[in-house]
């Protein structure tokens, strides 16, 4: 069994080092002896699922987002919706997250069509409003009733409004989707969207492992990911949370 990481628009949508998300998944698989391959999926290239996959869609400025909207409007967007509907594991960060919704409108009034995986829309900030920037801590509720925290940082102008979709979690510190309703990100089945850069996954090893286990369970539903002796990563996570708490 091999896990394939599909890195969507790897060179265009890699704001604030979101490529670190690919590295984190790869390393946490390799440390466990799980075979893993990274496939970059650029403009005009078809998505080729293998059955054991994680799809990553990183952040990007308005310009990059506009450049890839046409590519998403065709079969690639339909393929991503089908993957999402079938329980595929997809993580979108910031600009990638915004385009997993119905639309993203730029401050110039250009309405970019999204893929429609999440029932949400992103509007531009009003002229008097600032970009939403800073450290973020998010409280995430898990299916077993437990709660975990995610830590990262955000830097976005867009204000995301959720429709009929669950948030990824609720803001403990920072702004989140729109700086008003306390929600951060979105979640639907094994699809996740978030504004957290960091990059996100190296800072939050528990979430990396959740994505890996979810992807492998699609081919082996009894699979259980063995814990890692990653005390250094866990210490780094705790330190990042404390730093974020200390610097509002
Ligand atoms: N261009 C989008 C915005 O400003 C997303 C930015 C990002 O990916 N960090 O809201």
């Amino acid at each position: 069994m091999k896990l394939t990481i599909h890195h969507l628009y790897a060179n265009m949508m890699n704001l604030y080092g979101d490529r670190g998300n690919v590295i984190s998944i790869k390393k946490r698989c390799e440390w466990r002896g799980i075979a893993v391959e990274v496939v970059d999926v650029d403009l005009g290239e078809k998505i080729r699922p293998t059955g054991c996959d994680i799809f990553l869609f990183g952040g990007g400025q308005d310009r990059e987002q506009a450049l890839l909207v046409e590519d998403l409007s065709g079969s690639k967007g339909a393929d991503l919706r089908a993957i999402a509907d079938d329980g595929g594991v997809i993580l979108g960060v910031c600009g990638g997250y915004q385009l997993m919704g119905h639309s993203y409108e730029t401050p110039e009034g250009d309405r970019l069509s999204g893929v429609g995986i999440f029932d949400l829309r992103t509007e531009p900030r009003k002229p008097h409003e600032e970009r939403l920037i800073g450290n973020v801590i998010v409280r995430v509720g898990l299916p077993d009733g437990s709660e975990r925290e995610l830590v990262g940082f955000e830097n976005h102008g867009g204000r995301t409004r959720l429709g009929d979709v669950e948030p990824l979690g609720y803001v403990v510190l920072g702004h989140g989707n729109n700086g008003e309703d306390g929600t951060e990100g979105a979640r639907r089945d094994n699809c996740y969207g978030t504004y957290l850069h960091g990059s996100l996954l190296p800072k939050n090893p528990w979430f990396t492992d959740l994505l890996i286990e979810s992807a492998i369970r699609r081919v082996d539903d009894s699979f259980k990911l063995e814990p890692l002796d990653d005390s250094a990563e866990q210490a780094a996570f705790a330190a990042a949370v404390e730093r974020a708490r200390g610097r509002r």
Side-chain angles (χ1 to χ4, degrees), residues 15-16 59-62 65 93-96 98 104 131 155-158 195 197:
L15 204 54
Y16 310 124
Q61 301 293 8
D62 296 1
Q65 289 173 282
V93 175
C94 205
Q98 294 171 335
Y104 166 57
R131 289 181 68 82
N155 184 333
H156 56 105
Y195 272 111
H197 296 283

Side-chain angles (χ1 to χ4, degrees), residues 15-246:
L15 204 54
Y16 310 124
D18 286 340
R19 181 181 301 276
N21 294 329
V22 174
I23 296 167
S24 185
I25 294 170
K26 187 167 184 290
K27 278 295 173 200
R28 292 187 74 81
C29 284
E30 289 172 347
W31 291 339
R32 292 177 167 102
I34 297 170
V36 57
E37 180 185 8
V38 180
V39 175
D40 287 357
V41 183
D42 283 325
L43 286 173
E45 294 180 342
K46 191 161 172 48
I47 294 172
R48 301 189 188 288
T50 67
C52 183
D53 309 283
I54 295 177
F55 300 85
L56 296 179
F57 195 173
Q61 301 293 8
D62 296 1
R63 180 182 170 281
E64 283 81 13
Q65 289 173 282
L67 288 173
L68 54 87
V69 161
E70 187 183 343
D71 191 58
L72 275 178
S73 63
S75 60
K76 191 176 283 176
D79 290 348
L80 280 171
R81 279 191 297 279
I83 288 162
D85 293 345
D86 184 43
V89 180
I90 305 176
L91 170 66
V93 175
C94 205
Y97 161 43
Q98 294 171 335
L99 292 176
M100 287 172 72
H102 296 304
S103 62
Y104 166 57
E105 184 176 342
T106 69
E108 294 69 36
D110 300 324
R111 185 178 295 275
L112 309 180
S113 297
V115 177
I117 288 173
F118 294 133
D119 179 18
L120 58 86
R121 284 171 174 73
T122 302
E123 305 148 355
R125 60 192 170 106
K126 295 180 176 59
H128 66 279
E129 292 179 328
E130 299 293 326
R131 289 181 68 82
L132 300 179
I133 297 173
N135 288 302
V136 190
I137 296 176
V138 182
R139 189 182 69 253
V140 177
L142 297 176
D144 65 4
S146 64
E147 288 187 336
R148 299 294 298 260
E149 286 185 333
L150 286 172
V151 63
F153 75 86
E154 61 189 329
N155 184 333
H156 56 105
R159 269 62 173 171
T160 294
R161 306 280 172 192
L162 303 182
D164 183 18
V165 65
E166 288 298 311
L168 173 58
Y170 292 91
V171 174
V172 174
L173 178 142
H175 304 285
N177 279 325
N178 50 53
E180 293 170 9
D181 65 9
T183 66
E184 201 295 315
R187 173 182 188 172
R188 171 194 152 206
D189 301 323
N190 285 323
C191 292
Y192 303 89
T194 178
Y195 272 111
L196 270 64
H197 296 283
S199 21
L200 172 70
L201 295 184
K203 281 196 169 185
N204 300 278
W206 73 265
F207 193 52
T208 310
D209 286 353
L210 184 148
L211 297 177
I212 294 168
E213 187 169 87
S214 301
I216 295 174
R217 280 191 175 168
R218 302 213 358 97
V219 291
D220 172 0
D221 59 9
S222 64
F223 178 79
K224 185 89 184 83
L225 198 61
E226 288 305 314
L228 278 173
D229 173 15
D230 59 354
S231 49
E233 281 73 19
Q234 299 301 337
F237 167 69
V241 171
E242 283 319 301
R243 274 199 309 276
R245 289 190 196 283

